[in-house]
Amino acid sequence: MSLTEELSLQTRRSLLSRLRDHDDGESWQTFFDRYWRLLYSVARRAGLDDVDAQDVVQDTVVAVAREIPRFRYDPERGSFKQWLFRILRRRVSDHFRKLYRQPAHAGISPETLEETGHADAIVMRDGMSLSDAWDQEWERSVLDAAIAQVRAQANPKHFQVFDYCVLKEWPVAKVASTLGMNAAQVYLARHRVSQSVKRAARRIEGERLKGRIV
């Protein structure tokens, strides 16, 4: 690992600690950039419209700022992922209670939310629970970050192969013809980039669970 990479890693790992300084605007912007879409997507899947989902994102970030001084990673108590979900879950519940309404697809009432104390009673349109939707969106967020990381480092033509084959699901013959490659070259490039994405996703997942890379 180069000195630049080591310094970059140290910076990312210290970001969660730096969030304890509410005046550190750069760190808070980094946090927002990493997580707003994840929070927004789960809120939308819970049945909220665009404006309400944005409110939940804002309320969640404010709650994180309030609670971050007490967060310490402890495997026995749970990961950063679980900690952040608990905050989001409360904000979703609070929002439904505040508006005295419910998503049309969920057979619950504001009173039910009061009794359960959280949003687990909410069922997504696809039948998932809020926690299942969170897991799915978290995984998607990690994968997106891994792809972006590999895109910046990979051979551009090889990444094009991955983009066409895996992300756009083009047949190998079409990819080979478009890029002037033979099938064997396409298969090899796709495999190499796919493996790089998987390795990057594992690294990012491990760091984010500990609250290191936000």
Side-chain angles (χ1 to χ4, degrees):
M1 180 182 292
S2 69
L3 177 60
T4 299
E5 290 173 328
E6 288 180 358
L7 292 174
S8 177
L9 181 58
Q10 290 171 7
T11 298
R12 295 196 302 270
R13 285 180 170 174
S14 67
L15 180 56
L16 198 62
S17 297
R18 289 188 284 120
L19 290 181
R20 295 186 175 94
D21 178 3
H22 292 173
D23 294 326
D24 190 340
E26 181 180 352
S27 295
W28 277 103
Q29 185 62 52
T30 300
F31 174 85
F32 184 81
D33 291 343
R34 294 289 187 275
Y35 287 104
W36 80 266
R37 189 174 298 278
L38 167 65
L39 303 172
Y40 175 85
S41 296
V42 176
R44 285 302 302 264
R45 290 180 63 174
L48 300 175
D49 63 21
D50 173 67
V51 173
D52 293 334
Q54 290 188 46
D55 286 344
V56 166
V57 172
Q58 175 180 293
D59 292 346
T60 300
V61 172
V62 170
V64 168
R66 184 171 59 249
E67 298 185 26
I68 196 68
R70 295 186 293 276
F71 175 78
R72 296 291 186 279
Y73 173 67
D74 182 349
E76 294 184 359
R77 298 179 60 185
S79 64
F80 176 78
K81 171 188 175 183
Q82 294 168 319
W83 180 81
L84 184 60
F85 174 62
R86 286 194 293 271
I87 293 175
L88 173 66
R89 185 177 61 188
R90 290 196 296 269
R91 300 292 78 77
V92 171
S93 294
D94 289 347
H95 201 76
F96 284 132
R97 285 196 293 266
K98 180 178 67 176
L99 298 178
Y100 292 101
R101 64 175 177 81
Q102 63 190 48
H105 59 277
I108 59 173
S109 65
E111 291 74 18
T112 301
L113 286 172
E114 292 287 354
E115 293 169 1
T116 60
H118 52 65
D120 280 348
I122 298 175
V123 178
M124 310 294 106
R125 292 183 178 87
D126 54 13
M128 281 189 172
S129 67
L130 192 68
S131 59
D132 286 340
W134 170 258
D135 288 340
Q136 191 176 80
E137 294 297 333
W138 175 277
E139 182 178 341
R140 182 175 301 168
S141 175
V142 168
L143 180 60
D144 287 346
I147 290 173
Q149 187 178 100
V150 171
R151 185 199 305 270
Q153 301 169 349
N155 177 298
K157 192 168 186 178
H158 290 177
F159 189 85
Q160 266 193 309
V161 170
F162 173 81
D163 182 34
Y164 290 153
C165 286
V166 178
L167 304 183
K168 293 184 172 62
E169 299 183 339
W170 286 14
V172 170
K174 181 179 179 180
V175 176
S177 174
T178 300
L179 298 179
M181 304 169 70
N182 61 45
Q185 290 173 318
V186 170
Y187 282 123
L188 183 58
R190 182 182 66 182
H191 174 74
R192 286 176 175 173
V193 176
S194 295
Q195 291 303 306
S196 294
V197 169
K198 289 178 182 178
R199 287 192 296 269
R202 286 195 295 268
R203 287 195 301 270
I204 292 170
E205 171 80 3
E207 293 294 312
R208 287 189 176 184
L209 287 175
K210 297 174 184 177
R212 287 178 175 172
I213 297 180
V214 293

